[in-house]
Amino acid sequence: MAESGETELVVLGAGPGGYTAAFAAADKGMQVTLIDAFEKPGGTCLYVGCIPSKALLHAAKLLTDARDAQAWGIHFGRPEIDLAALRAQETKVVETLGKNLLELSKRRKVEYIRARATFADSRTLRLDNGSSRRFKHCVIAVGSSPIVPPSLKLESARLMDSTAGLRLEEVPASLLVVGGGYIGLELGCVYAALGSRVTVVELTDGLLPGVDRDLVRPLQSRLEGQFHKIYLGTKVAKLAETAEGIRATLEGEEIEEREPTFGRVLVAVGRRPNSRGLGLENTKVQLDDKGFIRVNEQRRTTDEPIFAIGDVAGEPMLAHKASHEGKVAVEAIAGEPAAFDSRAIPAVVFTDPEIAWCGLSETEAKRQGREVKVVRFPWGASGRAATLGRTEGLTKLVTEPETERLLGMGIVGEGAGELIAEGVVAVEMAASARDLALSIHPHPTLSETVGEAAESVYGPTTHLFRVRR
Ligand code: FAD
């Protein structure tokens, strides 16, 4: 029990990590206070991240699907886009989910306080409404914020981070996206579908750094048709506002125009943990050299009563990783055996085609010098992909040669984000490729590509025949 005057559990930050932790704790009978600077739970994910971006990507897909329908003899004509109505629909989705979360808090008797809080000491939070809260346990779930490098800082309404990009104030004639990571590509797809001429500039030599190249290739070739330009190995050295827009100075080889001007610029070069300005210096909580809060496998920090989860507690910065950590931390607080030991945290890039992977990737296996067997099933051999007119996809499995155990899965193609769930379960349950091959997958579906990729570990499959040498 908590001492009188102290709350049993205070959760600081009501994003997917924080509200999941708060709800799980309340469901275990704990007395819980959830504090967030925003009026409702949801965090970055709901208000300026996962949900609004996916709502806009849905609209973008309607547009590109309508265009692709021409190949099937169906012509819709030129789309008319009512931007205000599109924004209203995006807001409606977000508001509805936010209201539901607040209702779920109330029903669980979680006390929700709208305030910004900082640590006064290891047992006390100071709130910006003048009050303070003592706690027995605290879970820090304050998330992350977009990085804008000093060289790209500019006082201009035309310069956007992802939050401003999602507001969709206008569809500029031209848009520069700085950063070829998933956030830049997802938002680039939205603006391109709505009619902007999109240029993407990525500093490293490939889009989606770190992701297996064979998964990126089909996406890149489709984006090359949708975007105006994709510059790789190129740096945006400077931005300057002019009467016409923002002039960017590009540094790299094979650049057609070194100082092009854009109607708007979106900077999506990464995010940093919100660990600064939290008063952590008044506690024993330690940070690592990237500013993430140091935690153990239970998500306990170096200050015993304090836990940390989600983006502020380390990579990968993904909502489902935050929620899972929230449950683990609460189990640990409740004295139950708990550890964050996932083998397969899935990641999805919601472009079209989507890219999804989980577990060990081929790139990571190479980096570790680990011997693996990789099999690929090209969607050109999938009946379902043919019916969708989307045969560019690929399903690949990474297996352990001696045991045939599935270590990882990667998919590029329509609906990859849904398909990867099978890989997550298989990797977590230590399934072998044979387990997948012997499981009957429904026909005609894209999930058959998983089953047949698994069969190909053992030789030719029904739709894949390679002459043995
Ligand atoms: P957050 O969701 O960041 O929530 C932190 C909360 O803490 C915020 O509400 C903030 O107001 C509050 N807070 C911070 N400091 C204080 C303080 N001192 N006092 C009170 N409150 C405070 N992830 C996915 O898994 N899938 C996706 O498709 C996806 N798409 C994304 C798209 C975009 C454009 C962006 C930006 C992110 C996306 N993400 C996606 C990442 C995802 O949003 C984050 O990983 C996730 O929100 C992290 O959850 P969290 O609980 O750690 O923190």
Side-chain angles (χ1 to χ4, degrees), residues 13-17 19 36 38 40-53 94 141-146 162-163 166 182-183 271-272 274 311 317 319:
Y19 74 71
D36 197 293
F38 194 64
K40 288 197 280 295
T44 303
C45 179
L46 178 54
Y47 299 104
V48 291
C50 328
I51 298 297
S53 60
V94 169
V142 292
S144 61
S145 304
S162 58
T163 302
L166 290 168
Y182 84 93
I183 293 178
R271 298 180 63 83
R272 74 158 61 91
N274 288 334
D311 284 9
M317 294 202 211

Side-chain angles (χ1 to χ4, degrees), residues 16-17 20-21 299 309-310 318-331 339-342 345 428:
T20 303
R299 295 310 180 245
I309 58 169
L318 292 170
H320 41 277
K321 176 255 190 188
S323 322
H324 192 76
E325 287 179 314
K327 292 180 204 157
V328 169
V330 165
E331 283 165 11
F340 188 89
D341 63 354
S342 296
I345 303 173
E428 288 292 350

Side-chain angles (χ1 to χ4, degrees), residues 65-263:
D65 279 354
R67 196 194 54 209
D68 292 348
Q70 290 179 23
W72 300 86
I74 301 166
H75 301 267
F76 287 103
R78 207 180 144 77
E80 274 176 36
I81 297 161
D82 178 344
L83 214 52
L86 176 51
R87 275 194 301 261
Q89 186 65 16
E90 178 191 10
T91 307
K92 188 173 146 197
V93 170
V94 169
E95 289 295 317
T96 306
L97 292 172
K99 232 172 67 195
N100 292 349
L101 285 175
L102 194 58
E103 185 56 33
L104 286 169
S105 304
K106 282 186 189 148
R107 286 205 200 155
R108 289 180 158 95
K109 306 215 177 335
V110 169
E111 179 192 24
Y112 188 81
I113 301 181
R114 181 185 185 176
R116 185 157 281 283
T118 51
F119 284 88
D121 59 44
S122 296
R123 296 294 286 269
T124 318
L125 279 166
R126 199 178 290 129
L127 278 55
D128 64 359
N129 60 15
S131 68
S132 59
R133 258 316 146 115
R134 271 187 71 71
F135 56 81
K136 185 170 182 218
H137 292 288
C138 178
V139 173
I140 306 175
V142 292
S144 61
S145 304
I147 297 172
V148 179
S151 61
L152 303 183
K153 282 207 169 116
L154 190 67
E155 275 305 315
S156 168
R158 296 174 188 271
L159 183 69
M160 309 185 290
D161 59 13
S162 58
T163 302
L166 290 168
R167 281 201 292 270
L168 204 65
E169 282 163 1
E170 61 162 351
V171 178
S174 58
L175 174 74
L176 168 65
V177 176
V178 188
Y182 84 93
I183 293 178
L185 295 186
E186 287 184 2
L187 281 171
C189 283
V190 169
Y191 279 90
L194 292 171
S196 294
R197 231 164 70 123
V198 173
T199 298
V200 173
V201 173
E202 164 57 39
L203 190 59
T204 68
D205 59 5
L207 295 177
L208 298 170
V211 180
D212 287 354
R213 291 302 92 191
D214 52 357
L215 298 180
V216 176
R217 229 167 277 132
L219 171 65
Q220 183 163 343
S221 79
R222 190 163 156 100
L223 292 182
E224 277 162 1
Q226 292 175 354
F227 291 176
H228 172 59
K229 281 268 171 252
I230 298 175
Y231 289 122
L232 302 174
T234 303
K235 183 175 173 185
V236 179
K238 213 170 88 188
L239 298 175
E241 178 119 51
T242 69
E244 291 78 42
I246 294 181
R247 190 177 58 231
T249 307
L250 307 184
E251 288 175 1
E253 288 160 20
E254 295 172 34
I255 297 168
E256 277 167 17
E257 200 188 341
R258 298 219 155 249
E259 297 210 318
T261 296
F262 299 91

Side-chain angles (χ1 to χ4, degrees), residues 209-214 360-369 372 374 396 398:
V211 180
D212 287 354
R213 291 302 92 191
D214 52 357
L360 186 68
S361 68
E362 192 178 3
T363 307
E364 181 55 22
K366 270 200 194 112
R367 202 189 61 79
Q368 293 176 9
V372 289
V374 178
K396 69 189 282 194
V398 178

